[in-house]
Amino acid sequence: DSGVTQTPKHLITATGQRVTLRCSPRSGDLSVYWYQQSLDQGLQFLIQYYNGEERAKGNILERFSAQQFPDLHSELNLSSLELGDSALYFCASSGGLAGSPYNEQFFGPGTRLTVL
Amino acid sequence: GNSVTQMEGPVTLSEEAFLTINCTYTATGYPSLFWYVQYPGEGLQLLLKATKADDKGSNKGFEATYRKETTSFHLEKGSVQVSDSAVYFCALILMDSNYQLIWGAGTKLIIKP
């Protein structure tokens, strides 16, 4: 158990809909990262937050947005969903200074999103 | 740009065989290198890491040595078990990339009893 929790575990929805994925980092971790894992694209970094502020952006679509709240949990919002958005979405957290190369990222179990 | 290249899978071995999963990287600067493992139905876990040239990371019988001259970080294990069946990801992190992990495509390992 990494200490990172994600809800829901599974989500099935239709094209055009909007969903929210939730992540609670390990106790004390200030950084939260979101990743998308799909069969054809592999593991893609989406976005990072540190202590409530956006830190870095990766391959995140404009239809997707995220935020980190004062209690450090984070939400990833996916809107106008398309079939190609079906994937596993992982959240990871790390502690200490944002981006320290010595900070291990701890991954949650993921949310499996299926868009029909 | 910065990138990580892993050998394509799946890699299928018998129990107690010797394992090598190749990983090479391209990076501007001096990256830290990682191997993560993803067991079926789970998230990724850090397996081992090395932060400078000639460092050897090791964990659970797995080892990898940071080779700057060949820009490689190959994962090895002397005797694999069925429980090692998983997907293995090589990754690097660079200060220049705002410390974002840059991932390889992953290599699926299947160990047969």
Side-chain angles (χ1 to χ4, degrees):
Chain A
D1 184 357
S2 67
V4 179
T5 60
Q6 289 187 247
T7 56
K9 287 189 91 167
H10 302 277
L11 199 47
I12 301 174
T13 188
T15 54
Q17 295 299 303
R18 173 189 167 94
V19 297
T20 297
L21 312 183
R22 183 188 167 101
C23 168
S24 292
R26 285 190 326 154
S27 177
D29 280 358
L30 299 177
S31 278
V32 169
Y33 309 77
W34 285 99
Y35 293 89
Q36 179 193 59
Q37 186 179 35
S38 60
L39 281 173
D40 54 345
Q41 298 274 356
L43 194 63
Q44 301 275 327
F45 165 69
L46 296 178
I47 197 163
Q48 178 198 359
Y49 278 81
Y50 173 71
N51 204 21
E53 302 285 330
E54 183 183 301
R55 179 81 175 186
K57 259 184 174 178
N59 300 320
I60 188 165
L61 300 172
E62 285 194 14
R63 300 183 286 109
F64 296 180
S65 64
Q67 53 185 326
Q68 186 179 27
F69 294 86
D71 67 353
L72 300 177
H73 91 271
S74 178
E75 293 181 356
L76 179 68
N77 300 296
L78 315 176
S79 61
S80 303
L81 285 167
E82 302 175 359
L83 295 177
D85 297 327
S86 295
L88 261 174
Y89 290 85
F90 287 107
C91 165
S93 74
S94 66
L97 288 173
S100 165
Y102 304 103
N103 277 350
E104 173 184 348
Q105 289 187 25
F106 293 85
F107 281 76
T111 294
R112 182 172 291 281
L113 174 66
T114 303
V115 182
L116 300 175
Chain B
N2 303 308
S3 65
V4 175
T5 303
Q6 290 181 234
M7 62 191 291
E8 278 195 37
V11 173
T12 303
L13 295 172
S14 298
E15 210 166 17
E16 299 183 5
F18 185 87
L19 167 71
T20 301
I21 299 179
N22 289 338
C23 171
T24 56
Y25 67 89
T26 302
T28 52
Y30 301 97
S32 294
L33 301 172
F34 303 83
W35 277 101
Y36 277 79
V37 59
Q38 185 178 25
Y39 296 104
E42 297 184 15
L44 283 77
Q45 305 170 27
L46 180 67
L47 182 60
L48 52 84
K49 66 184 179 186
T51 56
K52 61 183 190 297
D54 299 324
D55 267 3
K56 178 187 278 190
S58 60
N59 186 24
K60 298 182 182 181
F62 290 89
E63 291 183 341
T65 301
Y66 187 160
R67 301 277 188 212
K68 186 164 173 284
E69 63 278 9
T70 54
T71 62
S72 65
F73 193 54
H74 304 322
L75 183 68
E76 297 181 335
K77 186 174 185 184
S79 176
V80 292
Q81 307 301 313
V82 171
S83 57
D84 294 325
S85 298
V87 181
Y88 292 81
F89 291 89
C90 185
L92 67 83
I93 204 165
L94 269 172
M95 185 173 62
D96 292 352
S97 65
N98 199 25
Y99 295 113
Q100 297 312 309
L101 276 167
I102 296 169
W103 297 89
T107 302
K108 184 170 184 177
L109 176 65
I110 300 169
I111 306 300
K112 298 195 168 180

